[in-house]
Amino acid sequence: MTITIIAGARPNFMKIAPIIEAIKQKQSEGVALNYQLIHTGQHYDKNLSDTFFEELNIPFPDINLDVKSGTQAEQTGAIMIGFEKVLAGNPTDLVMVVGDVTSTMACTIVAKKAGIKVAHVEAGIRSGDLNMPEEINRIVTDSLTDYFFTTTPLASQTLEDLGVPKNQIYFVGNVMIDTLLKNEDRLQQPELYKTLQLQEKKYMVMTLHRPSNVDEEQQLKALITQLAQLGKDYPIIFPVHPRTKKLLEGLNLNFDNLHYVAPLGYLEFNYLVKNAFAVLTDSGGITEETTVMHVPCITLRDSTERPETCTIGTNVLVGNDPEKIADAFEKLFSGDWKKGEIPELWDGHAAKRIINHLVDIYKS
């Protein structure tokens, strides 16, 4: 059996690392299981791409489509054209896609048109917000998938409600948490920790990249201004995404406690998160990591595809509503933040479950 694994953007790399490790474990046990790794090149910043392969001990890709940046349509089209050629020259039994990035959707469509079965890792999650490109990617991918691997019982139920047969849905846990738990002892203090004289639980980490937050200049300016002011004398460390950097350059937003830094690798970024007083973000994946590390998280979105981080974990949704943001900071500084628990099966063994299921499926 040969599995073609797709990686396109930073969140994918953390998810494929434990899957490849689980495949190698099966190979060492004598199971005839092979894989080929395709990197679509959707993320083009070295710190958001190559670094993750190096840090997480992921083999460098067998093929890189080298798609780079572009509009949604440009990237989707380029990935589909490139991946169709790959499949024509590299036969496979199964295409495995992870998450909800453009590459996930594009490669799923190509695989199905080529008559190849698709496994979707992190299937069934939904935000209900069709303004998010990722939500469209999820819907399209799950409408074509053959084997659905879910992170939560809610995601499994969502798929059942959509008519997916129960015997195609596998609740396995969260592969991104597999990677976090494996690397927790390897996290590295970044140089900026000493340069900025940071102290444990005495600073915050911020990430912003959603179009709803960063595409409109006045909205971005108001949001960053409020966050910096509410942060009091706590340093706010802001690794700046390439998308956001262009916008920030023209806004002249300077606050004593706000520090713009270059994008960080996985081990350094999660060191900052683990030791932070709180995280301010509009990312979905980071809310999962803060939940497992018991770090308070304020999510600057109105909806989430990971509601378990709110109902079980340490996350609170505030959107970009100034009143809700202020209330969250008040709760944070009063020491009244919820402690949170870790969701079921977020135990570091999700990838092993996925590969065990696939071996069983293909044996039968």
Side-chain angles (χ1 to χ4, degrees):
M1 177 188 177
T2 298
I3 303 174
T4 296
I5 302 172
I6 307 299
R10 172 190 152 161
N12 293 168
F13 308 142
M14 289 93 88
K15 294 167 189 173
I16 65 168
I19 292 169
I20 289 174
E21 185 178 347
I23 290 172
K24 288 181 174 178
Q25 179 60 40
K26 283 293 179 189
Q27 290 173 334
S28 73
E29 295 167 8
V31 177
L33 180 61
N34 299 303
Y35 74 93
Q36 52 189 0
L37 178 58
I38 312 298
H39 182 9
T40 66
Q42 184 184 328
H43 265 181
Y44 49 95
D45 184 299
K46 179 173 173 62
N47 281 335
L48 296 179
S49 191
D50 288 2
T51 303
F52 285 80
F53 282 89
E54 295 160 4
E55 289 188 332
L56 302 178
N57 297 315
I58 307 168
F60 272 78
D62 298 293
I63 296 170
N64 190 330
L65 302 184
D66 203 25
V67 168
K68 295 193 168 68
S69 61
T71 66
Q72 293 283 331
E74 287 168 342
Q75 279 198 330
T76 302
I79 292 165
M80 291 179 72
I81 291 166
F83 188 50
E84 184 178 56
K85 291 174 182 174
V86 166
L87 287 183
N90 300 271
T92 190
D93 299 297
L94 178 75
V95 169
M96 177 182 285
V97 296
V98 296
D100 50 24
V101 299
T102 302
S103 302
T104 306
M105 175 189 71
C107 291
T108 295
I109 294 170
V110 172
K112 291 301 288 184
K113 290 202 172 195
I116 300 166
K117 290 188 181 295
V118 172
H120 183 200
V121 176
E122 208 177 72
I125 65 173
R126 296 289 187 276
S127 68
D129 182 2
L130 283 171
N131 291 313
M132 291 176 64
E134 295 89 345
E135 185 75 351
I136 296 166
N137 297 342
R138 294 174 198 126
I139 292 168
V140 173
T141 301
D142 283 342
S143 71
L144 297 171
T145 290
D146 298 281
Y147 308 117
F148 302 79
F149 295 104
T150 64
T151 56
T152 64
L154 176 61
S156 297
Q157 188 60 52
T158 296
L159 292 168
E160 283 187 46
D161 292 347
L162 289 168
V164 176
K166 276 189 180 183
N167 65 355
Q168 291 176 242
I169 303 169
Y170 304 86
F171 168 42
V172 293
N174 193 326
V175 287
M176 192 144 85
I177 301 308
D178 288 9
T179 295
L180 178 64
L181 295 178
K182 182 184 178 185
N183 289 286
E184 209 166 5
D185 292 338
R186 296 179 61 233
L187 299 182
Q188 297 171 2
Q189 186 183 95
E191 193 176 324
L192 65 87
Y193 198 90
K194 289 179 180 172
T195 306
L196 298 176
Q197 298 181 312
L198 301 181
Q199 295 178 320
E200 188 177 336
K201 303 301 177 186
K202 295 289 185 183
Y203 65 91
M204 302 183 203
V205 174
M206 178 162 73
T207 73
L208 291 175
H209 72 281
R210 298 281 174 194
S212 59
N213 284 325
V214 304
D215 276 7
E216 206 283 300
E217 285 192 3
Q218 291 310 308
Q219 165 62 33
L220 180 61
K221 190 170 187 175
L223 184 60
I224 290 180
T225 298
Q226 185 185 17
L227 295 171
Q229 290 172 346
L230 288 172
K232 301 181 180 176
D233 56 350
Y234 277 57
I236 298 176
I237 311 306
F238 187 5
V240 181
H241 191 280
R243 176 191 190 94
T244 315
K245 187 176 182 181
K246 292 177 185 175
L247 288 158
L248 289 170
E249 285 171 351
L251 292 180
N252 196 29
L253 283 168
N254 298 304
F255 299 90
D256 289 343
N257 64 332
L258 182 60
H259 304 278
Y260 302 107
V261 300
L264 296 164
Y266 180 84
L267 299 176
E268 290 187 337
F269 179 75
N270 277 295
Y271 180 95
L272 283 184
V273 169
K274 184 177 182 179
N275 293 289
F277 177 59
V279 170
L280 321 170
T281 189
D282 58 11
S283 163
I286 290 172
T287 67
E288 295 177 326
E289 293 164 332
T290 54
T291 282
V292 170
M293 291 191 278
H294 301 290
V295 175
C297 184
I298 298 173
T299 294
L300 304 157
R301 286 167 52 187
D302 294 313
S303 62
T304 179
E305 65 284 356
R306 295 166 170 87
E308 65 280 355
T309 64
C310 298
T311 57
I312 300 171
T314 58
N315 183 29
V316 169
L317 288 183
V318 297
N320 48 33
D321 181 327
E323 198 170 309
K324 287 182 181 177
I325 293 170
D327 287 346
F329 270 84
E330 187 176 333
K331 189 171 285 189
L332 192 59
F333 281 110
S334 69
D336 196 28
W337 203 266
K338 57 184 178 178
K339 290 184 178 177
E341 296 177 0
I342 298 175
E344 184 183 359
L345 294 190
W346 290 22
D347 58 3
H349 303 295
K352 290 179 185 174
R353 295 185 188 103
I354 290 168
I355 298 305
N356 284 340
H357 282 307
L358 287 175
V359 168
D360 288 345
I361 290 165
Y362 277 80
K363 270 183 182 174
S364 60

